[in-house]
Amino acid sequence: ESAELLKNGSFEKQTGELPAGWQKDAYDIGNRTINFSIEEGNAYKGNYFVVIDNVTPADSRFIQSMTVEPNSYYKLSGWIMGENIPSNQKGANISVMGVFASAGNVKSGSGQWEYVELYGKTGPEQRNITVACRLGGYGEESRGKAFFDNMSFRKLSGKPAGKRVELFYRE
């Protein structure tokens, strides 16, 4: 694996009320009640982690964009918890914007952090990618709380053996 490509995947650095390097984003944000926050205490690692609280059903996410190389394999991973997410709605997940690739469907649960990973391949012309720490998905609005910590995005030396590889682009 290559060097870390995400800025502040640990969420230890803040800019105001947001994690440095990340933006908040949601589908149709004006008609939803969503709280994005940084919390201290029960982090997977370090002191801080981020929380998305969908008070009303929403598809909301912390996002970060970065440069990638075409026709290359990448791994997005991190630690997730969920709370009060209805069983019939999409749980907390990590995903790539613009495509349906996602990993994790973490709902209410044990109060334990769960490790999730998503492998993908960039397109022949692809130079940019936007990754998301997300509650909900395209056409899937969820309520409840999603917690994220220790996110990572790295280029791989080749196709990962024995792993499902998603397309990080639209064909």
Side-chain angles (χ1 to χ4, degrees):
E1 295 180 6
S2 72
E4 182 58 57
L5 297 172
L6 271 183
K7 291 183 181 77
N8 193 32
S10 66
F11 304 111
E12 295 298 304
K13 296 187 189 110
Q14 287 94 43
T15 306
E17 295 178 8
L18 283 174
W22 295 84
Q23 294 173 285
K24 55 186 185 180
D25 186 45
Y27 171 74
D28 194 20
I29 198 165
N31 293 323
R32 310 285 189 270
T33 304
I34 304 161
N35 298 313
F36 294 90
S37 62
I38 301 168
E39 290 190 16
E40 187 175 7
N42 186 29
Y44 171 73
K45 193 174 181 184
N47 294 313
Y48 299 96
F49 58 99
V50 292
V51 182
I52 297 171
D53 180 5
N54 287 352
V55 180
T56 56
D59 170 15
S60 49
R61 53 259 172 181
F62 281 103
I63 58 170
Q64 186 175 135
S65 299
M66 69 212 80
T67 304
V68 290
E69 294 175 31
N71 284 321
S72 298
Y73 293 94
Y74 288 86
K75 175 184 171 183
L76 176 65
S77 63
W79 293 83
I80 301 180
M81 274 193 303
E83 184 180 288
N84 298 327
I85 302 167
S87 59
N88 63 340
Q89 295 178 358
K90 187 167 177 72
N93 64 90
I94 53 176
S95 66
V96 169
M97 299 301 291
V99 294
F100 288 101
S102 74
N105 187 18
V106 179
K107 312 267 174 95
S108 318
S110 57
Q112 300 293 313
W113 289 99
E114 295 182 39
Y115 177 74
V116 293
E117 56 187 17
L118 176 64
Y119 293 88
K121 185 176 192 237
T122 54
E125 307 289 323
Q126 189 172 359
R127 297 276 176 199
N128 293 288
I129 200 165
T130 300
V131 300
C133 299
R134 192 170 192 172
L135 179 55
Y138 289 114
E140 297 182 280
E141 297 193 339
S142 304
R143 63 180 173 79
K145 283 187 177 183
F147 308 84
F148 301 90
D149 199 9
N150 230 48
M151 299 300 302
S152 173
F153 187 72
R154 295 174 185 265
K155 182 174 184 271
L156 304 175
S157 55
K159 185 175 181 180
K163 302 288 185 184
R164 181 181 164 148
V165 177
E166 304 282 352
L167 295 182
F168 283 172
Y169 63 101
R170 283 199 181 120
E171 286 187 282

